Amino acid sequence: MSTFQAPKGTYDLIPPDSAKYLAVREAIAAPLKNSGYGYIETPGFENVELFSRGVGESTDIVSKEMYAFETKGGDKLALRPEGTASVLRAALEANLHKLGNLPVKLWYSGSYYRYERPQKGRYRHFSQVGAEAIGAEDPALDAELIILADQAYRSLGLSQFRILLNSLGDKECRPVYRDALQGFLRGLELDEDTRRRVEINPLRVLDDKRAVVQKQLVGAPLLRDYLCDACKAYHEEVRELLTGAGVAYQDDEKLVRGLDYYTRTTFEFVHDGLGSQSAVGGGGRYDGLSEMIGGPALPSVGWALGVDRTVLALEAEGIELELPATTSVFAVPLGEEARRVLFGLVTQLRRAGVATDFSYGGKGLKGAMKSANRSGARYALVAGERDLAEGVVQLKDMQSGEQSPVALDAVLDAVRERLA
Ligand code: HAM
């Protein structure tokens, strides 16, 4: 071990496990690519104000968890704690919304940073795959995104997850509800921190997990009863579309998300095998965010799924992804001349698209065959001086152990034929 370790709350992705993470990212991205979403990549850091305005000054993410810093040049930046504000910023900056093709549908995959108390499933550096559909108010778009996330999880074999669904209302009805809720909460016996939260972000109090708080919340006004007719109709349409698509969900009036930009549809994917960090993904509509960061009115909706937690969910369900072996052919040279000849063959096979690896470091036959085994290769190419004198190499089937000589200039064809 070196003097250094990965920083607290982080971990390294290392083979062979790292292949699982790649497969999860690909599985989440596949339905998006198949549904008109284009890939976007934005910087790992942004102007800190983008997040304080976008995600919200009163959220934990901004007030406690952001890696904010000032550069030597005096710029105030922050490592991105989430993707939505960045993606919208980039879309506005590139004028994608002016190309006359709304909604702008984008997907992304990357690392995010939150200074949280680390525990299983909660890290300071984590990974999301996300999708944003910018510039359209259409319940079918909300439904599309939820259906695609469901499809992604199911394609991985996951089944023990639930979809929680809620509507947070809009700028007409939510303030009325907020007032009513505040009135109710002010009458409760709450600690000082929570009382402060009642004043700046009362909806978050509903999300308080502590029993002392929860038992006082019985009888709290419900947002459902305050939704305006337009929000009610919109939500009803989303629900019907989901039901029509055969996607089961649970209405959860208490679902409040940890980011301030949400309006109307909000949802979370929770997995029942993960303990306290059970949210594997979440999202919703954010009709006001564009204006909050200085853009035009652009009603939008999106989600992000946590890659780390999705991998934990696979483990919790005992799902082994079928990952094809990365190497098809492994070359084992015996002696100096064979090394040169086989290295040439390896290059030829690779250029022809056959996944091939080579025994480096002058290992003996036993050590080299061990490497061949570990690589998962289906075939080994073995050659010593006697083989070369005869102009052949031995092609060994690693499963059956059978071995046969193949002329040097026929190796590519022989390998292709067998792998086909
Ligand atoms: P979020 O709910 O904060 O939403 O994060 C989405 C997912 O990222 C979570 O459900 C979880 O799986 C994963 N995640 C969050 N924090 C951590 C952590 N500390 N460690 C491991 N995994 C974590 C958003 O980020 C929104 N931008 C989603 C969105 C997109 N809404 C609209 N568009």
Side-chain angles (χ1 to χ4, degrees), residues 28 32 37 106-110 112 128-132 302-305:
I28 299 174
L32 297 170
Y37 289 76
L106 301 165
W107 76 274
Y108 52 95
S109 172
Y112 298 86
Q128 291 182 343
V129 175
E132 314 291 349
W303 50 242
L305 309 189

Side-chain angles (χ1 to χ4, degrees), residues 33-108:
K33 293 186 202 165
N34 194 39
S35 310
Y37 289 76
Y39 180 66
I40 185 169
E41 202 166 313
T42 65
F45 51 81
E46 295 273 355
N47 229 301
V48 68
E49 226 188 298
L50 173 67
F51 300 118
S52 46
R53 276 212 244 162
V55 177
E57 206 83 67
S58 69
T59 60
D60 283 355
I61 293 179
V62 167
S63 65
K64 298 185 188 153
E65 297 166 4
M66 209 149 58
Y67 284 89
F69 57 98
E70 195 172 320
T71 65
K72 293 199 173 76
D75 294 330
K76 293 196 167 65
L77 303 176
L79 299 187
R80 57 184 183 190
E82 63 105 42
T84 308
S86 311
V87 167
L88 187 55
R89 193 268 309 138
L92 290 170
E93 193 172 327
N95 281 320
L96 298 185
H97 59 296
K98 289 187 185 158
L99 301 178
N101 192 22
L102 296 176
V104 177
K105 301 210 283 187
L106 301 165
W107 76 274
Y108 52 95

